[in-house]
Amino acid sequence: DFFEGSFLANYFISDLKVSKSALLYDASVFGEASSNNFRKYFTDSDGEIVLDSAVDFSQGIQDIVDNVKSTKPEAVYVAVESRENGFEVLKGLREKGVNAYFASPISIFDTENISKNPKTFEGSLAISPEIDWKNNLKAKNFREEYKTAFGEYPTNEAFYAYDSLFMINDAISSTYHGESADIKSISEWMKSLTNWPGVSGLITIDSTGNGIASKSLKKITKTQVVDVGQYTIDAEKQEGY
């Protein structure tokens, strides 16, 4: 999931012809890793990051929103884990008249929030797992059971955490030899994984232990979350799109 940044950086540069972007992120592992990936890909592609800032949400967002506006970016990537924090930034930017392209994890784009704030969300972009909802019964069941248990649909992170847990379980079950699990064997099993059927889609692990996964780029249009396109990312090459 850290490589969302390179997906969006590529889309900004290649499709939207963006040359200047603001980059905001929180102190989470995801925020730091995804922002690093965006920063590297965007600048390597001759893009300019006009504002590069960690956000301390406990201090409010007024100053950071003012700073974004003053730098006049063509796009803003907000790499945060919290749905509330991501929406707070988006809302603050729109209220200040910042109409740059906005991109963030799909987790902030819940249906209820979009329906209540259609103008705020209009045109926003997000990356999500590419899930075949028609045929992936495991994903459908997980999504509904999660909603029943927690009162909301799962975020990207919930899908990935679920898959990670059961992938490790399968690795241990497949390499267990009587008394203990062999760490080396588990590692080799993981690196040979091809099209493992997870709730987030088919997962392949490359020889370095990184993932090769399909993602879907989404755009909010008239309160609807619509597909822009599907892309495959090879984490070993750190490329998206």
Side-chain angles (χ1 to χ4, degrees):
D1 206 27
F2 300 157
F3 298 101
E4 284 186 1
S6 60
F7 274 91
L8 292 166
N10 197 317
Y11 187 72
F12 283 170
I13 292 282
S14 300
D15 285 61
L16 301 180
K17 308 305 179 186
V18 167
S19 60
K20 297 181 179 181
S21 178
L23 174 60
L24 308 177
Y25 47 94
D26 61 18
S28 67
V29 172
F30 167 79
E32 294 183 359
S34 188
S35 61
N36 287 341
N37 204 274
F38 179 92
R39 183 184 301 108
K40 180 181 186 303
Y41 197 96
F42 195 77
T43 55
D44 284 353
S45 301
D46 296 323
E48 178 187 359
I49 296 181
V50 295
L51 179 66
D52 189 330
S53 181
V55 181
D56 181 355
F57 287 95
S58 68
Q59 301 299 313
I61 64 162
Q62 190 59 54
D63 287 346
I64 198 69
V65 167
D66 288 341
N67 289 340
V68 171
K69 183 176 182 179
S70 69
T71 60
K72 299 180 180 179
E74 298 165 326
V76 182
Y77 177 45
V78 180
V80 298
E81 282 191 331
S82 165
R83 174 177 298 171
E84 292 76 16
N85 289 345
F87 175 65
E88 186 180 0
V89 173
L90 174 57
K91 185 171 182 289
L93 291 173
R94 297 303 186 233
E95 288 177 347
K96 280 288 185 178
V98 178
N99 294 315
Y101 295 111
F102 178 92
S104 188
I106 191 68
S107 58
I108 82 162
F109 299 103
D110 65 284
T111 303
E112 182 178 356
N113 220 4
I114 293 170
S115 64
K116 289 181 178 179
N117 305 277
K119 291 183 179 180
T120 299
F121 279 98
E122 181 67 24
S124 298
L125 298 162
I127 289 289
S128 75
E130 177 53 27
I131 300 174
D132 181 357
W133 292 108
K134 181 178 180 181
N135 298 306
N136 190 338
L137 296 181
K138 183 189 292 188
K140 290 174 67 175
N141 290 338
F142 171 70
R143 186 171 185 265
E144 294 308 318
E145 289 172 7
Y146 189 102
K147 177 76 161 51
T148 299
F150 300 105
E152 61 182 13
Y153 287 115
T155 62
N156 285 8
E157 290 72 25
F159 279 95
Y160 299 141
Y162 184 94
D163 279 344
S164 296
L165 178 63
F166 281 92
M167 190 184 298
I168 293 170
N169 179 73
D170 283 359
I172 294 173
S173 299
S174 299
T175 58
Y176 181 74
H177 301 296
E179 296 183 359
S180 63
D182 181 348
I183 299 300
K184 183 177 180 180
S185 296
I186 291 174
S187 177
E188 293 304 315
W189 185 91
M190 296 286 284
K191 291 177 182 179
S192 66
L193 203 63
T194 302
N195 290 334
W196 185 83
V199 294
S200 63
L202 298 176
I203 300 171
T204 294
I205 307 296
D206 66 25
S207 60
T208 68
N210 287 315
I212 301 173
S214 292
K215 301 268 188 165
S216 178
L217 180 61
K218 306 287 188 181
K219 182 177 182 180
I220 312 303
T221 302
K222 296 180 180 179
T223 74
Q224 300 299 308
V225 181
V226 299
D227 283 326
V228 175
Q230 286 75 46
Y231 308 95
T232 298
I233 187 165
D234 187 335
E236 184 174 9
K237 297 178 181 179
Q238 294 197 16
E239 293 178 351
Y241 190 72

